[in-house]
């Protein structure tokens, strides 16, 4: 196989759960090949870099081998190489840690997990840093 559709390849290497989700991502401009946003029918070749934007980060994969049908999770490494920069994963971790700070209006009260995360974050603050100045008098 010399070339394959980008949506079919993304589904086959398990980047997306279904092919229709992969097609929708392409139509919404979340998939790029070589830096250019592509349509679902775009043909890719071995060696292409496929970028997939799944907010808050953008994953990048190098096509090692093309395939026409979905493969098991253990065999995915034979067909693609993850070349996502480390900074992108740091963004993901930062959002996970600070998720309780950016709470969207209307999502209700924080959960117990949110509270534990907040407590853990407060414990990790360096000594001498006080978020609130409790001694300041209010006018």
């Amino acid at each position: 196989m010399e070339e394959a559709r980008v949506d079919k390849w993304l589904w086959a290497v398990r980047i997306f759960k279904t092919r229709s989700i992969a097609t929708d991502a392409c139509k919404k401009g979340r998939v790029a090949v070589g830096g250019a946003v592509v349509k679902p029918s775009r043909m890719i070749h071995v060696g292409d870099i496929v970028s997939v934007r799944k907010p808050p980060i953008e994953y990048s994969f190098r096509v090692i081998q093309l395939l026409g049908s979905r493969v098991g999770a253990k065999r995915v490494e034979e067909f693609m190489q993850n070349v996502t920069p480390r900074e992108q994963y740091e963004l993901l971790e930062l959002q996970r840690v600070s998720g309780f700070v950016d709470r969207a209006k209307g999502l209700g009260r924080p959960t117990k997990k949110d509270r534990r995360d907040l407590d853990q974050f407060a414990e990790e603050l360096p000594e001498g840093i006080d978020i609130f100045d409790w001694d300041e008098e209010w006018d």
Side-chain angles (χ1 to χ4, degrees):
M1 179 177 283
E2 294 180 17
E3 57 185 16
R5 286 177 56 117
V6 69
D7 62 337
K8 191 171 183 179
W9 185 82
L10 289 168
W11 164 76
V13 294
R14 300 180 169 269
I15 305 300
F16 292 103
K17 189 173 183 177
T18 65
R19 186 167 170 193
S20 61
I21 295 172
T23 302
D24 289 342
C26 293
K27 288 179 181 177
K28 292 177 181 175
R30 296 183 179 152
V31 177
V33 175
V37 176
V38 296
K39 294 180 179 181
S41 61
R42 166 74 190 271
M43 297 302 224
I44 58 172
H45 304 89
V46 173
D48 285 347
I49 301 291
V50 179
S51 300
V52 178
R53 202 166 17 99
K54 287 185 175 181
I57 68 173
E58 183 173 330
Y59 297 95
S60 299
F61 306 101
R62 176 174 285 121
V63 179
I64 296 176
Q65 209 174 5
L66 300 171
L67 63 159
S69 60
R70 196 162 167 100
V71 295
K74 292 181 181 179
R75 295 193 55 212
V76 167
E77 292 178 359
E78 300 172 22
F79 300 97
M80 70 166 190
Q81 176 187 6
N82 189 347
V83 293
T84 306
R86 170 138 327 270
E87 298 85 37
Q88 294 293 318
Y89 287 111
E90 290 171 1
L91 283 173
L92 188 63
E93 181 65 20
L94 181 63
Q95 183 182 9
R96 188 191 67 79
V97 170
S98 66
F100 56 86
V101 176
D102 299 351
R103 188 168 203 82
K105 186 174 182 177
L107 286 179
R109 292 175 30 178
T111 62
K112 287 182 179 180
K113 182 181 182 326
D114 292 336
R115 180 59 191 201
R116 287 191 295 266
D117 290 343
L118 182 59
D119 289 341
Q120 180 183 0
F121 177 74
E123 289 174 7
E124 293 173 357
L125 287 175
E127 286 294 320
I129 292 182
D130 190 8
I131 299 173
F132 304 104
D133 188 4
W134 299 107
D135 297 330
E136 182 179 314
E137 291 194 25
W138 296 89
D139 292 331

